[in-house]
Amino acid sequence: KLLLILISTVLFFGCQESSVPSNMEEMPNMKIEEYNISVNEVELNNMFNNYRNNDYIPVTISYNKNTRNAGMRIRGDSSRDYAKKSLKVKIVDSVSINTQTIFNFNAEYSDKSCIRSFLSSLIFKKLNYPCFTAKFSNLNINEKYHGLFLEIENMDKSFLQKNGLNPNGDLFKATKDGACLYAPNEVPLKWERKTNKKSSFMSLENLINEISTTSSQDFYEYVKANFDYPRLINFLAINAFIANGSTYYHNYYLYRDHENDGKWILLPWDLDKTISYYNWKPYKYHSTSSDWENDNTLIEKCFLNKKIFQDFQKRIKSIGEIINFDFYDPVIQDAIAKLNNSVLRDSTNQISSFKLWKSQIESEYEFLNNRSTKLINEINQYPQSFEVNKTPAEICLPFEISWTK
């Protein structure tokens, strides 16, 4: 029996990792890019004063002596309220810069280590999971140093193609808080179509309805038939491993290759609130939403299913064998060496000294140390998820509320 279990596990995860391009495993050599932006000072100040506005202001962006006309705006959701703003630059000329026409510069203001999103994206890639590429960039605006930013790859057809996914597939972004796969009527308000923009949201609305109406007894077979199951388990396990509590109700993508197998894949986004970020809460693997939004129906039902829950825990254990000290220590040490000057030079972040920065990095080390074992222990200690039986649409006194064990 033990031999059969071992063989099944190897086949399950081995097939999973061989189904994606091998180049996703390559770890980048960290370097800091340098961009120069020129803009009218009045329009720049107006953009920062009206940071909720999504209108682009005209700028020029230069990189390695290549200059292009572009538009720039503030990007992000709740992060717009931070003192340091994230920026989006879109080239309007017909010629790109290094094949790029869209640049996402994340301020990473809430991250005093500066490395959580970068490191988390590398963890996804190391585990052969499709994830955006992240690199550090210094921005200069009107010949003045503006700060250190994390440049995030845009999620579009080019991203899909690079990751071995059909660029003609449907890519949806969970944009607003509450994009929890809870009810079909949430879709137009909380989701964006990133490909095939002239098509309807019907496939996503149908998915939400099916997830809600499929019984617990049939849910495992439903998931196997409609999702890339190995990738779904991987996604759940990696998010738990990196303590990604800021997802499942926003900050993720759904992709479906409707021209081929039609199975859904979840894709990560916005990974700054990971690793040690939720130490104050602490992070709970089964928390799928903020306190004021609905729970994510897909993830909740996955954790309620015994087979999926077992596969989820098995994958967490195997991740610990790959994402260990030998993996993350060189990355962090490289970051300390190469980011040091920019971090301390940046007056817009929350890092006032090298000592403060180093202490936060030590928190990331402490979190990652023996992470899989600690996470499995937490899962065994936490109260497990349970299912509340639905009440009628209209209730009157007296009524009963019931739930499973």
Side-chain angles (χ1 to χ4, degrees):
K1 288 183 179 179
L2 288 173
L3 180 60
L4 286 173
I5 292 170
L6 177 61
I7 292 171
S8 299
T9 303
V10 169
L11 286 173
F12 176 76
F13 291 114
C15 292
Q16 167 189 333
E17 296 187 353
S18 64
S19 65
V20 294
S22 60
N23 62 2
M24 289 173 60
E25 296 181 9
E26 296 176 5
M27 295 295 107
N29 179 26
M30 186 188 296
K31 65 176 182 176
I32 305 178
E33 305 289 1
E34 194 87 14
Y35 295 92
N36 296 288
I37 294 172
S38 297
V39 57
N40 180 281
E41 288 285 352
V42 174
E43 291 185 325
L44 181 67
N45 291 332
N46 185 58
M47 181 190 75
F48 284 124
N49 290 333
N50 299 281
Y51 56 86
R52 286 288 168 191
N53 197 321
N54 280 329
D55 293 338
Y56 286 87
I57 62 172
V59 303
T60 61
I61 181 170
S62 299
Y63 172 81
N64 282 350
K65 298 181 180 181
N66 295 308
T67 300
R68 303 285 182 265
N69 293 308
M72 181 171 73
R73 66 171 175 85
I74 307 294
R75 67 177 302 273
D77 190 13
S78 60
S79 63
R80 292 181 187 230
D81 295 322
Y82 295 151
K84 184 178 180 181
K85 312 297 184 190
S86 297
L87 301 170
K88 191 178 194 77
V89 177
K90 184 180 292 187
I91 292 176
V92 296
D93 288 342
S94 58
V95 183
S96 62
I97 294 179
N98 286 350
T99 72
Q100 282 183 253
T101 58
I102 297 175
F103 299 82
N104 299 304
F105 297 111
N106 280 12
E108 304 295 291
Y109 185 75
S110 65
D111 180 9
K112 292 180 183 178
S113 76
C114 298
I115 62 171
R116 287 198 293 254
S117 186
F118 178 77
L119 184 55
S120 293
S121 69
L122 291 186
I123 289 172
F124 270 103
K125 285 175 174 290
K126 180 66 176 178
L127 296 167
N128 287 340
Y129 203 92
C131 184
F132 56 82
T133 297
K135 55 185 177 180
F136 291 96
S137 300
N138 281 321
L139 289 191
N140 304 290
I141 297 182
N142 292 339
E143 299 183 350
K144 295 179 182 178
Y145 184 62
H146 188 67
L148 176 69
F149 290 77
L150 188 67
E151 185 183 339
I152 299 295
E153 180 182 11
N154 206 52
M155 301 284 283
D156 50 25
K157 285 190 173 184
S158 176
F159 165 84
L160 295 174
Q161 201 159 18
K162 280 168 57 179
N163 287 275
L165 301 171
N166 181 4
N168 297 321
D170 290 327
L171 182 65
F172 300 95
K173 181 183 181 182
T175 306
K176 299 291 184 182
D177 285 2
C180 301
L181 302 175
Y182 180 78
N185 61 8
E186 77 182 20
V187 172
L189 299 174
K190 299 175 180 179
W191 289 81
E192 287 182 61
R193 248 192 180 280
K194 291 299 183 180
T195 58
N196 308 321
K197 294 184 178 181
K198 293 183 179 180
S199 300
S200 72
F201 283 102
M202 185 176 295
S203 61
L204 180 56
E205 292 169 343
N206 288 341
L207 174 71
I208 293 172
N209 185 60
E210 289 169 3
I211 291 171
S212 177
T213 56
T214 300
S215 67
S216 299
Q217 294 84 353
D218 299 329
F219 194 70
Y220 174 71
E221 294 301 328
Y222 170 79
V223 166
K224 291 274 288 185
N226 291 277
F227 284 82
D228 183 326
Y229 185 75
R231 277 185 166 141
L232 175 61
I233 296 300
N234 224 359
F235 191 73
L236 295 174
I238 297 171
N239 274 330
F241 184 91
I242 63 175
N244 187 11
S246 183
T247 189
Y248 298 141
Y249 64 99
H250 68 171
N251 289 340
Y252 66 99
Y253 284 77
L254 269 169
Y255 168 80
R256 175 174 174 263
D257 183 0
H258 58 85
E259 293 183 343
N260 292 295
D261 63 7
K263 292 191 175 184
W264 293 90
I265 299 171
L266 289 92
L267 299 170
W269 185 244
D270 204 6
L271 298 172
D272 59 320
K273 295 178 180 176
T274 54
I275 311 182
S276 74
Y277 179 84
Y278 284 107
N279 281 356
W280 56 275
K281 251 187 167 181
Y283 168 82
K284 296 180 178 65
Y285 76 93
H286 51 51
S287 177
T288 66
S289 184
S290 56
D291 294 337
W292 54 90
E293 300 286 356
N294 294 309
D295 293 321
N296 186 301
T297 313
L298 169 66
I299 312 302
E300 292 286 319
K301 284 196 166 186
C302 283
F303 287 147
L304 282 167
N305 184 275
K306 185 176 181 180
K307 180 66 172 70
I308 298 174
F309 193 56
Q310 287 174 343
D311 289 339
F312 161 71
Q313 292 184 78
K314 287 178 184 176
R315 186 54 176 148
I316 289 172
K317 292 176 182 177
S318 66
I319 287 174
E321 298 172 5
I322 303 168
I323 309 302
N324 52 26
F325 185 83
D326 291 338
F327 167 78
Y328 59 76
D329 179 61
V331 174
I332 296 175
Q333 291 302 318
D334 196 25
I336 293 172
K338 294 179 178 177
L339 300 180
N340 180 35
N341 290 336
S342 295
V343 167
L344 298 179
R345 184 183 171 200
D346 188 347
S347 61
T348 61
N349 60 28
Q350 299 189 82
I351 305 164
S352 57
S353 67
F354 181 81
K355 182 179 179 181
L356 175 63
W357 184 39
K358 195 71 180 297
S359 68
Q360 185 59 54
I361 289 175
E362 290 299 327
S363 296
E364 316 306 344
Y365 269 113
E366 184 179 350
F367 176 93
L368 289 168
N369 181 39
N370 209 20
R371 172 59 181 165
S372 282
T373 301
K374 290 187 291 189
L375 178 57
I376 292 297
N377 289 339
E378 289 172 3
I379 290 172
N380 291 331
Q381 291 169 10
Y382 284 156
Q384 291 186 353
S385 299
F386 58 92
E387 189 170 9
V388 178
N389 298 320
K390 290 186 176 181
T391 59
E394 295 183 13
I395 57 175
C396 58
L397 295 174
F399 66 89
E400 291 183 351
I401 297 176
S402 60
W403 54 91
T404 61
K405 294 175 72 172

